[in-house]
Amino acid sequence: GQQVMQIPQYQHVQEGEDFTTYCNSSTTLSNIQWYKQRPGGHPVFLIQLVKSGEVKKQKRLTFQFGEAKKNSSLHITATQTTDVGTYFCAGGTSYGKLTFGQGTILTVHP
Amino acid sequence: DGGITQSPKYLFRKEGQNVTLSCEQNLNHDAMYWYRQDPGQGLRLIYYSQIVNDFQKGDIAEGYSVSREKKESFPLTVTSAQKNPTAFYLCASRSVGDHYGYTFGSGTRLTVV
């Protein structure tokens, strides 16, 4: 079945440093979604990418979808303590099923 | 305000007992999902339903059952056949064709004692 791998599993940064998490799928995706889960909370939808090579920005967050639609990345510029949490990618297929990556746990030290 | 309500927030169960987790949404979403979250393993799909009175098994359906008698409700029963039920359970919904992703409930943390 479809597998979505996400790395790294953990990332510790100093406040102000950049952060990137990567997502790779075993199959071509119809779309990729990104979610953020704060400690003790539930996942919250951030964004969806659909087009090959697509790049979207939300303030300090930059999301990319690979040309082959099998990989994606999330980059945060100048991290803040409010960025702490687990970031999940989720690969979507044409029949609507999402497969989540294992997530990257981000810790930001002030 | 529209949203998804999961109850209870914490649940303790004795081994050998069935337990039902509630999930209600007032977002008028067609599709509903149940995920299980364990540390380091992300979210794994248990069951999903695209329309009322229809549902499909996800990747880890063994030991679980669901029903979808109403659009708003998608309860999950954790049966005694589930070998390792202690986990964080998340319910989600979305509107078919929606490009805004899943809306998640706040989750139920089940502990078997």
Side-chain angles (χ1 to χ4, degrees), chain A residues 55-106:
Chain A
V55 178
K56 287 189 176 181
K57 292 190 176 185
Q58 289 180 349
K59 297 183 181 178
R60 294 177 294 104
L61 278 61
T62 302
F63 304 84
Q64 292 188 320
F65 200 10
E67 295 289 342
K69 300 184 74 173
K70 295 181 73 173
N71 59 77
S72 181
S73 65
L74 158 60
H75 179 82
I76 301 179
T77 303
T79 55
Q80 300 175 358
T81 54
T82 53
D83 293 326
V84 298
T86 303
Y87 292 85
F88 291 99
C89 64
T93 62
S94 56
Y95 46 89
K97 187 178 169 185
L98 270 188
T99 300
F100 281 80
Q102 301 94 321
T104 295
I105 300 172
L106 173 64

Side-chain angles (χ1 to χ4, degrees), chain A residues 9 33 35 37 41-43 45 48 88 95-98 100-102, chain B residues 35 37 40 42-43 45 59 88 90 94 99-102 104-106:
Chain A
Q9 187 173 358
Q33 299 181 9
Y35 293 79
Q37 184 175 22
H42 58 275
F45 174 73
Q48 176 174 273
F88 291 99
Y95 46 89
K97 187 178 169 185
L98 270 188
F100 281 80
Q102 301 94 321
Chain B
Y35 284 89
Q37 186 173 29
L43 280 67
L45 182 63
D59 301 316
F88 188 47
L90 287 158
R94 74 177 182 100
H99 295 289
Y100 294 100
Y102 288 14
F104 281 88
S106 55

Side-chain angles (χ1 to χ4, degrees), chain B residues 79-95:
Chain B
T79 74
S80 56
Q82 169 48 233
K83 295 185 190 320
N84 186 20
T86 295
F88 188 47
Y89 290 88
L90 287 158
C91 180
S93 72
R94 74 177 182 100
S95 189

Side-chain angles (χ1 to χ4, degrees), chain B residues 10-29:
Chain B
Y10 299 95
L11 189 56
F12 296 88
R13 188 195 93 176
K14 291 184 180 179
E15 279 193 32
Q17 288 182 336
N18 292 355
V19 63
T20 298
L21 281 57
S22 171
C23 179
E24 303 277 334
Q25 56 100 358
N26 60 4
L27 299 164
N28 199 34
H29 283 173

